[in-house]
């Protein structure tokens, strides 16, 4: 497949969060805030998406708006990336498909909210994980998405050689909350400290997760989040939702149950992660 991409210090941004993670207009706002934050940090944002079968690493404002408004977009992971390109499909790319395309385009840094993970039932494992285990990419995030088994996800990543580095934290964040009780593999307190670590790691061919907690003024306390999550998970199982539909269903229900607070945290952490990714890309580009 052919890839369209800009040069310079670049940050890849995933787009399944636009098509499936947040409702319009929050999805559009999130993407704009992320792009702005990357630019303010001196780098070029490249939203990755599949537009009528074309793998795009970087899309225009008009293309972004159309994607955010798309009535029934596809969620494009690795298993259906070739199908989407071969069948002229339009959709948002998950972390897996975004990472694959970003690396193919020569980009070293990407930002997202949370990666997929090992789900609570232990059977559904996100395609994000095996992709991160074979793609040399620095991924800035706030841990994994809130609905996964974070401890099992961390074990999976460790087994497959993907380190978790805390940015100004020793604790693996839990997306909407900063508190999980799970430790990172290392901690760095500034962008300069990441550079030698990344340069030494990348020959291994696996990703590094650089994690930071959601901005404190928006973060939800752990106990409160646990209560919201267990209600949403119970309802989701009762409704018989499965596969790729689980994440969008749960995120929508969590937003309802929290009176919109989860959406505000989500927007804030996406922007913060994009900013940090922009700073890292700019620093790496300086050599
Ligand atoms: N985290 C969120 N919202 C999302 C996602 C993650 O808070 O929408 C998306 C990302 O694109 C991630 C994908 O790559 O969900 C993982 O989906 P699955 O579990 O079906 O692999
Ligand atoms: Mn899944």
């Amino acid at each position: 497949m052919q890839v369209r991409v800009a040069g310079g210090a670049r940050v890849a941004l995933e787009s399944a969060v636009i098509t499936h993670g947040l409702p319009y207009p929050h999805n559009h706002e999130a993407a704009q805030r992320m792009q702005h934050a990357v630019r303010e940090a001196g780098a070029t944002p490249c939203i990755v998406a599949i537009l009528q079968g074309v793998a795009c690493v970087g899309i225009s404002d008009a293309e972004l708006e159309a994607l955010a408004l798309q009535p029934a977009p596809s969620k494009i992971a690795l298993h259906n990336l070739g199908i989407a390109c071969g069948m002229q499909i339009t959709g948002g790319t998950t972390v897996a498909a975004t990472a694959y395309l970003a690396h193919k385009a020569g980009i070293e840094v990407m930002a997202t909210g949370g990666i997929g993970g090992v789900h609570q039932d232990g059977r559904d494992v996100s395609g994000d994980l095996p992709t991160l285990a074979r793609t040399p990419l620095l991924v800035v995030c706030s841990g994994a998405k809130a609905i996964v088994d974070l401890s099992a996800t961390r074990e999976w990543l460790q087994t497959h050689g993907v380190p978790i580095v805390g940015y100004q934290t020793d604790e693996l964040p839990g997306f909407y909350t900063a508190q999980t009780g799970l430790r990172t593999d290392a901690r760095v307190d500034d962008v300069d400290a990441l550079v030698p670590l990344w340069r030494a790691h990348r020959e291994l061919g696996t990703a590094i997760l650089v994690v930071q907690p959601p901005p404190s003024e928006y973060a939800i306390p752990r106990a409160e989040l646990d209560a919201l999550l267990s209600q949403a998970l119970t309802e989701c199982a009762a409704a018989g939702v499965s596969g790729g539909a689980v994440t969008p269903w749960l995120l929508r229900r969590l937003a309802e149950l929290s009176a919109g607070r989860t959406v505000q945290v989500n927007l804030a952490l996406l922007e913060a992660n994009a900013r940090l990714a922009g700073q890292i890309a700019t620093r790496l580009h300086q050599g």
Side-chain angles (χ1 to χ4, degrees):
M1 72 194 70
Q2 293 203 319
V3 172
R4 190 185 75 182
V5 68
R10 299 159 302 171
V11 173
L13 303 173
E14 64 132 322
S15 56
V17 65
I18 300 170
T19 54
H20 292 78
L22 289 163
Y24 188 85
H26 297 297
N27 58 351
H28 190 229
E29 184 195 330
Q32 286 178 313
R33 281 169 59 177
M34 289 181 86
Q35 293 193 107
H36 185 69
V38 171
R39 286 196 187 101
E40 274 189 337
T44 303
C46 300
I47 294 178
V48 175
I50 311 301
L51 305 181
Q52 293 178 309
V54 179
C56 298
V57 179
I59 64 177
S60 70
D61 290 345
E63 288 168 335
L64 169 60
E65 176 140 45
L67 189 68
L69 282 163
Q70 187 85 9
S74 292
K75 177 175 162 183
I76 301 172
L78 219 57
H79 69 278
N80 59 347
L81 177 57
I83 294 171
C85 292
M87 296 180 78
Q88 286 80 52
I89 284 168
T90 291
T93 48
T94 65
V95 168
T98 305
Y100 172 79
L101 291 167
H103 177 61
K104 185 177 165 74
I107 294 177
E108 285 191 300
V109 182
M110 90 172 251
T112 183
I115 63 166
V118 179
H119 282 256
Q120 309 278 358
D121 66 8
R123 288 186 302 128
D124 181 6
V125 177
S126 172
D128 290 355
L129 299 185
T131 305
L132 293 171
R134 60 167 178 265
T135 312
L137 198 68
L138 190 156
V139 180
V140 180
C141 62
S142 299
K145 55 193 184 184
I147 55 177
V148 303
D149 180 336
L150 197 57
S151 176
T153 300
R154 177 161 149 280
E155 292 301 330
W156 196 105
L157 290 168
Q158 191 175 84
T159 300
H160 294 85
V162 180
I164 301 176
V165 178
Y167 184 77
Q168 298 176 352
T169 182
D170 295 302
E171 196 170 354
L172 173 57
F175 200 76
Y176 299 124
T177 188
Q179 309 140 339
T180 64
L182 298 169
R183 290 184 66 83
T184 58
D185 294 305
R187 170 189 176 126
V188 296
D189 287 302
D190 57 61
V191 168
D192 282 341
L194 267 173
V195 175
L197 201 152
W198 166 243
R199 296 222 162 112
H201 174 85
R202 68 185 162 188
E203 72 180 77
L204 298 176
T206 69
I208 280 189
L209 296 188
V210 174
V211 299
Q212 64 176 351
S216 56
E217 59 276 38
Y218 296 97
I220 300 177
R222 167 96 179 267
E224 210 176 307
L225 181 62
D226 283 348
L228 290 172
L229 269 173
S230 68
Q231 182 177 347
L233 283 165
T234 306
E235 290 180 7
C236 185
V241 181
S242 65
V246 169
T247 300
W249 195 96
L250 284 171
L251 295 181
R252 194 173 53 246
R253 190 66 188 125
L254 284 171
E256 288 167 5
L257 293 172
S258 70
R261 274 178 70 202
T262 55
V263 173
Q264 295 312 315
V265 195
N266 204 338
L267 292 174
L269 67 84
L270 283 166
E271 180 178 350
N273 294 346
R275 176 164 293 109
L276 177 56
Q279 291 164 353
I280 295 168
T282 300
R283 177 63 189 78
L284 288 175
H285 194 66
Q286 287 162 354

